[in-house]
Amino acid sequence: MKLLILNLGSSSIKYQLLENNKFLIKGLIERIGMSVSRIKQIFFKKKILKKSILNKKIENHFLGIKKIKNLLCDENVITEEIYAIGHRIVHGGYFFSKPTIISENVKKKIKKLFNIAPIHNYINYMGIKISEKIFKTSIQVAVFDTEFHSTIPKKSYLYAIPDEFYLKHYIRSYGFHGISHKFVSKTAIQYLKNNKVKLITIHLGNGSSVTAINSGKSVETSMGFAPNSGLIMGTRSGDIDSNIIFHALKKGFKIDELIEILNKKSGMLALSGYSDMRDIKKKYEKGDKKARLAYEMYAYRVKKYIGISISVMNGVDALIFTGGIGENDILMRKLICKDLDFLGIKLDKKKNNFINENKNVIEIQKKNNKVKIIVIKTNEELQISEDILFILKKNN
């Protein structure tokens, strides 16, 4: 059974073609909408692992998915062979708490959540619509980022506002990046051979979040009602005082204008002039003051949520770094772990400096350290594949 997984981010598309949970082709289109996009693809050809990199401008996600279809055809993948397409959907809201086979009713409900996750759910929805046209014989399945956080207790997910906001409008904290947090926490539990372990999973990418996981269950997370809260991100502000919005409205800003600013023109872009951490790091290394401040603010916000997570769980056994920045940015991991010795978090600088490691799990804490610091490569596509197989078996 062949499954194609599409994971659309705000400026990227990850994709994997799997058969029996083993990848045949996987790739990444990144920097979508920027001056130069990059397509990386890994695949087997005559039982030999091949890699290809193509630099080409991809203006939007529609063209990105069309390109993926062409790349699959180039490797002699017949679209009718693909049994199901799995879609990562950022916001399931109050409608969805488990993987779901997509129907017209499901699509209507996903559309209703556009106003909560304006960047992502629209992109995810378009991914479904495009896939239905290209892969006409495939079953379409939605897997939701909010699902993993359904275990967060009521004292955490409710806001201290009048009841009607929750009871009538379902306004509460939902949490996001759940597919990634679920995958790396499962991997950590298996690696540490401890089902009761207390984990803090730190997913750092263009979108970023921290989750406290106790015995395999999410109990607290940095993102709330929508993906803009919590940490500073590539173009998203993260936490801000709500009165800033009221003040801006009184000053003449329009609601749609503020949505655009807080989601697409804030975060690291507002602080440094760049949204991609790799570009900011180059400026940082050249002594750019804006880049240095942006790095320090980003790390500070992560440290703040590490503290929150530890207090909620009354301790921590392992700190997990994942996501594009978490897995690859040596400097950011160093800044985040700095001055956390009193919590038992001590980074080994030499171990942290690993480059091009093929291992999926790497420990980078000092020897005999109380708290493990582990870098785990996330694989949201594999997690989505497992969820698809689960729901397909359940419906047969």
Side-chain angles (χ1 to χ4, degrees):
M1 184 188 291
K2 287 188 175 69
L3 305 176
L4 176 64
I5 312 303
L6 295 177
N7 182 351
L8 281 68
S10 54
S11 61
S12 66
I13 305 173
K14 291 181 184 178
Y15 61 96
Q16 278 197 39
L17 182 70
L18 301 103
E19 188 168 25
N20 300 323
N21 262 6
K22 292 184 179 179
F23 97 88
L24 301 176
I25 299 172
K26 61 183 173 182
L28 168 66
I29 303 178
E30 56 185 347
R31 296 175 180 249
I32 292 172
M34 298 185 188
S35 56
V36 179
S37 306
R38 176 172 289 186
I39 305 169
K40 301 176 184 177
Q41 184 166 274
I42 303 172
F43 55 96
F44 284 102
K45 197 161 192 174
K46 296 180 179 180
K47 297 183 179 181
I48 298 173
L49 192 66
K50 300 280 187 179
K51 296 181 180 180
S52 66
I53 297 176
L54 176 66
N55 291 315
K56 183 181 180 181
K57 186 173 182 179
I58 304 291
E59 293 182 354
N60 54 52
H61 290 76
F62 174 80
L63 295 175
I65 293 175
K66 283 188 69 176
K67 185 63 181 176
I68 290 168
K69 185 253 186 183
N70 293 335
L71 290 170
L72 293 177
C73 289
D74 290 344
E75 299 308 319
N76 299 315
V77 176
I78 301 169
T79 56
E80 285 75 14
E81 293 178 339
I82 299 172
Y83 186 77
I85 313 290
H87 299 269
R88 172 198 174 220
I89 309 297
V90 166
H91 213 312
Y94 45 89
F95 296 122
F96 306 105
S97 59
K98 60 184 179 181
T100 304
I101 293 174
I102 295 169
S103 63
E104 288 302 315
N105 187 44
V106 168
K107 284 188 286 186
K108 285 179 182 177
K109 288 178 179 178
I110 291 171
K111 284 183 74 174
K112 285 184 178 180
L113 297 166
F114 281 3
N115 63 322
I116 303 176
I119 298 175
H120 300 90
N121 267 42
Y122 173 75
I123 293 169
N124 302 153
Y125 176 82
M126 290 308 299
I128 294 169
K129 296 287 284 184
I130 297 163
S131 296
E132 287 175 332
K133 292 179 181 178
I134 296 173
F135 306 100
K136 295 180 181 179
T137 61
S138 303
I139 297 170
Q140 308 285 332
V141 182
V143 180
F144 300 91
D145 250 338
T146 47
E147 175 205 340
F148 182 62
H149 301 297
S150 62
T151 55
I152 290 175
K154 197 169 186 178
K155 63 183 178 183
S156 174
Y157 72 66
L158 279 183
Y159 292 109
I161 54 180
D163 285 349
E164 65 178 300
F165 284 90
Y166 174 62
L167 298 174
K168 291 184 180 180
H169 306 292
Y170 305 98
I171 293 174
R172 50 157 286 183
S173 175
Y174 289 100
F176 301 91
H177 295 136
I179 298 167
S180 178
H181 289 297
K182 183 178 182 179
F183 178 82
V184 297
S185 61
K186 280 171 52 181
T187 302
I189 287 168
Q190 292 168 2
Y191 175 77
L192 297 170
K193 298 176 182 178
N194 182 358
N195 292 328
K196 301 295 183 182
V197 69
K198 295 176 180 179
L199 304 171
I200 298 174
T201 52
I202 306 170
H203 177 102
L204 305 179
N206 195 49
S208 302
S209 61
V210 174
T211 296
I213 300 170
N214 197 344
S215 302
K217 293 183 178 181
S218 173
V219 295
E220 182 60 83
T221 191
S222 60
M223 284 182 169
F225 176 64
N228 192 40
S229 54
L231 306 180
I232 295 169
M233 296 168 246
T235 62
R236 283 172 266 169
S237 64
D239 288 341
I240 65 167
D241 186 334
S242 58
N243 282 285
I244 294 170
I245 297 171
F246 308 145
H247 181 75
L249 289 170
K250 288 180 179 179
K251 289 292 183 181
F253 285 89
K254 304 297 182 184
I255 290 175
D256 287 343
E257 186 180 3
L258 289 176
I259 290 171
E260 177 83 6
I261 290 169
L262 294 176
N263 284 282
K264 296 183 179 181
K265 296 180 179 179
S266 296
M268 299 299 275
L269 178 62
L271 292 171
S272 70
Y274 300 89
S275 62
D276 193 300
M277 195 66 83
R278 290 164 293 190
D279 297 328
I280 302 167
K281 189 176 180 183
K282 288 177 184 177
K283 290 288 184 179
Y284 180 100
E285 290 169 346
K286 291 179 181 179
D288 185 272
K289 290 182 180 180
K290 285 187 175 181
R292 181 171 291 276
L293 178 61
Y295 251 85
E296 289 174 353
M297 287 179 66
Y298 188 101
Y300 179 85
R301 188 70 64 85
V302 176
K303 288 160 79 88
K304 181 177 175 179
Y305 275 96
I306 289 172
I308 291 170
S309 300
I310 290 174
S311 66
V312 166
M313 295 190 293
N314 190 27
V316 62
D317 298 306
L319 211 62
I320 312 297
F321 283 97
T322 194
I325 297 169
E327 294 167 26
N328 300 298
D329 197 322
I330 294 168
L331 174 61
M332 185 55 71
R333 291 196 300 263
K334 179 183 174 182
L335 290 174
I336 290 168
C337 293
K338 185 181 178 183
D339 298 329
L340 294 181
D341 301 43
F342 75 105
L343 294 173
I345 299 169
K346 299 177 183 178
L347 185 74
D348 186 302
K349 292 181 181 179
K350 288 185 178 179
K351 291 179 182 177
N352 185 47
N353 288 339
F354 70 87
I355 298 174
N356 296 328
E357 285 280 357
N358 292 320
K359 294 179 181 178
N360 290 326
V361 181
I362 300 172
E363 293 188 32
I364 58 173
Q365 77 278 355
K366 286 187 177 180
K367 190 176 180 181
N368 300 322
N369 200 48
K370 179 184 176 184
V371 178
K372 289 188 179 294
I373 307 171
I374 309 174
V375 179
I376 297 178
K377 291 182 180 179
T378 194
N379 193 331
E380 292 168 300
E381 295 72 36
L382 180 56
Q383 184 60 56
I384 292 170
S385 173
E386 291 177 1
D387 288 340
I388 289 172
L389 291 173
F390 172 79
I391 200 68
L392 290 177
K393 286 177 183 178
K394 193 174 179 181
N395 282 270
N396 284 338

